[in-house]
Amino acid sequence: MEHIEAIALLQDPVRRRLYEYVAAQGREVGRNEAAEATGVARTLAAHHLDRLTEAGLLESGSRRLTGRSGPGAGRPAKVYTRTKAERSVSLPARDYRTAAELLAEAAEQAGLDAGLRAAARRRGESLRGSAAPCGDLDEAMKVLAARGYEPHLEDGGGSEDGAADADTDTDAHTAADSAGAAARVVRMRNCPFHAVAERFPPLVCGMNLALLEGLLGADGPVRARMDARPGECCVVVEASKNNDD
């Protein structure tokens, strides 16, 4: 019942917009930013953000948003991020997670990694159907978003589009530009197999990579490769070496 009540909070359209905005940022979000982004008053945003936190859908903390410290830096502001805990509802009750973990454990002990990857690649190809391999990163992002991966574009230096440091030297920008769009990668904030991947990372991450190779097209203009980073999916997608983004 606890999960049902938490998810039911998202039925309110304002609350849902706030939750989706915070979840999409992949970082801490302050009340002012959330209010402005969703077009509501700050006091209303604060109320709904705190309700989402009480329900366990968001986590809250505090920090100085100015980036300064010491006298005159201002009081810490309340900030929010999406919680790592999962919420799901199944009526009647189902326990697919236990089944998945048992199957993963048996596959790992039996050394069935190669067979699992082959099956995952076939499944990805089946999901893609008769469609051609993804033609570019934008198309790949649409496919990944539809599968729940929450993709976002990042440049080779590790920052998202539009997040350039104002203090970066002009020469550094020129060097980065010369690397071209091929340096950009698509990272994913969500792994649909997170719970099982935490217990069996090599097995499940290998399966995930093979699935995306089949889904996106292994021989097309984009390719998936392993590049694990804490808090995100272990796979990234980039332009193939012999293709422009």
Side-chain angles (χ1 to χ4, degrees), residues 70-95:
R75 297 175 57 186
K78 200 163 188 179
V79 292
Y80 302 85
T81 56
R82 181 172 58 181
T83 183
K84 296 180 176 62
E86 296 180 11
R87 296 286 185 272
S88 62
V89 175
S90 176
L91 298 173
R94 296 288 187 263
D95 189 5

Side-chain angles (χ1 to χ4, degrees), residues 10-229:
L10 298 176
Q11 185 174 0
D12 181 280
V14 174
R15 201 172 291 149
R16 182 162 186 168
R17 289 205 309 273
L18 286 163
Y19 172 79
E20 290 176 342
Y21 178 77
V22 173
Q25 304 315 303
R27 55 174 173 78
E28 295 176 330
V29 174
R31 288 171 167 175
N32 287 341
E33 178 187 347
E36 183 176 350
T38 55
V40 301
R42 183 185 184 280
T43 53
L44 182 60
H47 167 73
H48 285 310
L49 289 168
D50 286 341
R51 286 289 306 277
L52 292 167
T53 301
E54 291 167 7
L57 295 173
L58 297 180
E59 294 177 356
S60 65
S62 61
R63 67 177 177 87
R64 289 187 175 90
L65 299 179
T66 61
R68 301 193 304 270
S69 59
R75 297 175 57 186
K78 200 163 188 179
V79 292
Y80 302 85
T81 56
R82 181 172 58 181
T83 183
K84 296 180 176 62
E86 296 180 11
R87 296 286 185 272
S88 62
V89 175
S90 176
L91 298 173
R94 296 288 187 263
D95 189 5
Y96 298 115
R97 175 173 173 174
T98 296
E101 290 178 347
L102 289 171
L103 290 169
E105 182 178 354
E108 187 174 74
Q109 292 178 352
L112 300 178
D113 304 56
L116 178 60
R117 289 194 298 271
R121 190 171 289 104
R122 289 194 300 271
R123 174 58 64 89
E125 292 169 349
S126 176
L127 291 171
R128 179 160 52 89
S130 59
C134 288
D136 54 30
L137 293 184
D138 288 337
E139 186 179 345
M141 288 180 70
K142 292 177 182 178
V143 172
L144 294 168
R147 303 295 305 176
Y149 282 92
E150 298 183 5
H152 63 99
L153 196 61
E154 187 176 89
D155 65 30
S159 60
E160 293 184 36
D161 284 0
D165 187 342
D167 296 327
T168 301
D169 186 84
T170 303
D171 290 341
H173 278 298
T174 302
D177 291 341
S178 66
R184 296 186 299 169
V185 299
V186 174
R187 291 190 177 272
M188 295 164 270
R189 293 194 176 99
N190 183 52
C191 172
F193 316 110
H194 174 72
V196 187
E198 277 195 318
R199 289 197 57 190
F200 308 94
L203 181 78
V204 178
C205 290
M207 176 199 76
N208 188 26
L209 174 61
L211 177 71
L212 292 180
E213 286 174 342
L215 183 64
L216 301 175
D219 299 323
V222 301
R223 67 168 186 137
R225 63 175 174 83
M226 202 75 74
D227 187 12
R229 190 166 75 176

